[in-house]
Amino acid sequence: MTPTDDPAVRYFDAIAAALSGLEIFMRDDRSPLYRHGIVAKVAAAYISRLERSFACWRNRLGFMETFKISRAESGFPVFQNVLELENDRKTAAQRLASIPPPGELREEMADFILRHKEFPEALQRSMAERLYLEDVKDGSTFSPFILAQTAKVSVNPKSMRPYYLVHWGSFDGTANLPLIYMATVEDSSEAMVEQLVDTDSGRLNERIDIPLPVDGLLNPDLAHRFDDFTEKNSAYSLSPLTVATNLDKDFPVLHPKQLRRMVLGPFYSAGITEHNSTVSEVLAKVRKAENAWLLTWTIQEVYSKAEKPGRKGLWSSEPSSEEFFINTDDLEAARQGVSSYEKHALIPHEAYQALYAAGEAEKIFGGYKVHILSKGQVISDV
């Protein structure tokens, strides 16, 4: 079997090309998503984590023979692979100590070939395991859950509250989909308002040095609780409205004004995935196997249209609460529990030509913003 005939090689080549193209799209200032500024930059960092994960899994195949993907649904690896990657990260240093250094392994391999006139498969597996563990030990892969970071801090001059842009990531274990969350949250806690807000200018206190990004929520009194909340409220089965509403209820002094979720996938690869027969049939006709793929993603957003004031009474009181806007005029937006959503598709030029020639492009890409990867550049609005 030649490398291009090996399904694993074709899958890893295809997903590497797709994620590389997606990262180009996120970082390109001509990209329609770049208007969101920091949103595209944050998303690109999570995509880099995914690229690192796939590079590790590829090395892992050199000494482990099992690797499963969700062929009929997401097109991404099943959750078990993500868990194994995380477990291996925790034991990497200990396992590396028992494997000879790369130079020593190369010398042993050369000596084995000279003496036995055959390939040293056991040594090759040790080398692959070493490369895998070295890659995975630094923790920059896409974990089952990636703790929140505060990426931006500013002040709302109307409410005179500081607000944070906070992001976190999750690999959903049921849908086998990578998820990226970004929330804009105002903080009305007295300590943070006093520390961060310059009441004279209505701006951020210039005397406070905040070395962004900050691990966790910027408010230290709520950071651990916020980590627990995000880990428990990041499932794909929860709508963005549910996540935002739960956040609003669980933290009286935090006011979520906007929540975005980026759902990566499904991913389609010729001869590998099976979740759309029409796409599979057309992609199978693409001449170059490395161009026979299609990556889709959805950006969901829910935002607050107003804040209902809190009520303090002698016998009972209510904290303020957000009134989130759901676009009920759009049945799909209402179903997703969002104010708005965007569906995107990234596809190599050759594969798009094949779909167009087969008369399937309009049907497959209905409702999608299509982006074509060609010669290392991404062309949008086709």
Side-chain angles (χ1 to χ4, degrees):
M1 180 182 290
T2 63
T4 53
D5 292 332
D6 186 333
V9 171
R10 283 191 285 114
Y11 177 76
F12 279 107
D13 284 348
I15 195 72
L19 292 176
S20 175
L22 182 55
E23 192 172 8
I24 289 169
F25 174 73
M26 291 294 171
R27 297 187 187 278
D28 189 346
D29 58 7
R30 294 167 298 176
S31 159
L33 190 64
Y34 203 81
R35 68 182 184 274
H36 295 305
I38 197 170
V39 174
K41 184 178 178 182
V42 166
Y46 285 95
I47 294 160
S48 293
R49 282 179 169 270
L50 262 182
E51 288 181 298
R52 187 65 174 269
S53 290
F54 277 100
C56 289
W57 282 320
R58 191 166 197 158
N59 277 332
R60 196 172 187 269
L61 279 180
F63 64 96
M64 296 288 286
E65 295 184 359
T66 58
F67 184 79
K68 293 182 180 179
I69 65 169
S70 175
R71 298 178 65 187
E73 294 175 352
S74 74
F76 276 87
V78 299
F79 190 54
Q80 182 62 31
N81 293 298
V82 183
L83 291 175
E84 288 172 354
L85 204 63
E86 182 67 6
N87 289 335
D88 289 343
R89 181 188 66 80
K90 295 174 181 177
T91 61
Q94 180 182 351
R95 287 167 61 182
L96 279 168
S98 64
I99 302 174
E104 187 176 324
L105 283 172
R106 292 189 189 96
E107 288 180 7
E108 288 185 30
M109 290 170 71
D111 183 61
F112 186 95
I113 292 170
L114 288 172
R115 286 189 295 108
H116 298 280
K117 308 300 182 186
E118 59 184 58
F119 191 76
E121 293 185 4
L123 290 169
Q124 179 65 21
R125 284 196 296 272
S126 293
M127 178 66 85
E129 184 174 6
R130 180 164 197 97
L131 291 173
Y132 165 75
L133 293 170
E134 286 177 347
D135 273 351
V136 81
K137 71 176 181 180
D138 70 355
S140 60
T141 53
F142 202 105
S143 305
F145 178 74
I146 302 168
L147 288 168
Q149 277 193 337
T150 301
K152 180 182 178 181
V153 184
S154 193
V155 171
N156 181 341
K158 293 181 179 179
S159 65
M160 295 297 281
R161 298 170 179 163
Y163 69 84
Y164 322 126
L165 174 64
V166 190
H167 59 86
W168 65 95
S170 173
F171 196 103
D172 187 85
T174 302
N176 298 309
L177 288 167
L179 309 174
I180 303 167
Y181 286 87
M182 286 167 258
T184 301
V185 183
E186 286 188 10
D187 188 342
S188 62
S189 59
E190 290 184 11
M192 298 307 289
V193 171
E194 183 178 344
Q195 184 178 4
L196 296 176
V197 179
D198 183 333
T199 53
D200 293 331
S201 66
R203 296 179 180 177
L204 203 61
N205 187 343
E206 293 181 354
R207 292 173 294 178
I208 302 296
D209 181 29
I210 306 172
L212 297 171
V214 173
D215 287 340
L217 185 74
L218 189 64
N219 186 326
D221 295 332
L222 300 177
H224 288 302
R225 275 185 58 207
F226 189 83
D227 284 344
D228 289 341
F229 170 87
T230 50
E231 188 164 9
K232 293 173 182 174
N233 287 266
S234 294
Y236 178 60
S237 59
L238 298 178
S239 71
L241 173 63
T242 300
V243 177
T245 301
N246 289 347
L247 176 58
D248 192 34
K249 288 180 178 177
D250 287 7
F251 296 88
V253 298
L254 295 182
H255 312 274
K257 300 300 181 180
Q258 182 187 55
L259 178 79
R260 278 196 184 97
R261 178 167 72 181
M262 182 173 177
V263 183
L264 291 172
F267 173 68
Y268 306 84
S269 179
I272 307 293
T273 56
E274 304 168 342
H275 35 27
N276 187 310
S277 59
T278 302
V279 172
S280 298
E281 288 170 11
V282 177
L283 289 181
K285 298 174 184 177
V286 174
R287 187 169 53 87
K288 293 183 179 179
E290 63 268 27
N291 290 332
W293 55 265
L294 165 64
L295 175 64
T296 63
W297 69 95
T298 304
I299 299 175
Q300 302 169 309
E301 178 187 348
V302 63
Y303 63 83
S304 172
K305 61 182 179 180
E307 182 177 318
K308 182 181 177 182
R311 180 179 59 82
K312 292 184 178 181
L314 184 62
W315 307 110
S316 65
S317 62
E318 287 182 6
S320 63
S321 60
E322 302 298 326
E323 296 180 17
F324 296 105
F325 171 69
I326 298 299
N327 186 2
T328 53
D329 292 335
D330 185 326
L331 292 178
E332 181 60 19
R335 185 191 69 79
Q336 292 184 30
V338 295
S339 309
S340 63
Y341 67 95
E342 294 179 359
K343 295 166 70 176
H344 295 260
L346 177 68
I347 186 169
H349 185 254
E350 184 184 354
Y352 182 79
Q353 282 186 317
L355 288 169
Y356 188 83
E360 300 290 352
E362 187 173 343
K363 180 173 70 175
I364 289 169
F365 294 121
Y368 283 85
K369 297 177 185 292
V370 182
H371 316 285
I372 296 176
L373 182 63
S374 179
K375 297 178 181 178
Q377 293 187 327
V378 176
I379 305 163
S380 299
D381 302 320
V382 294

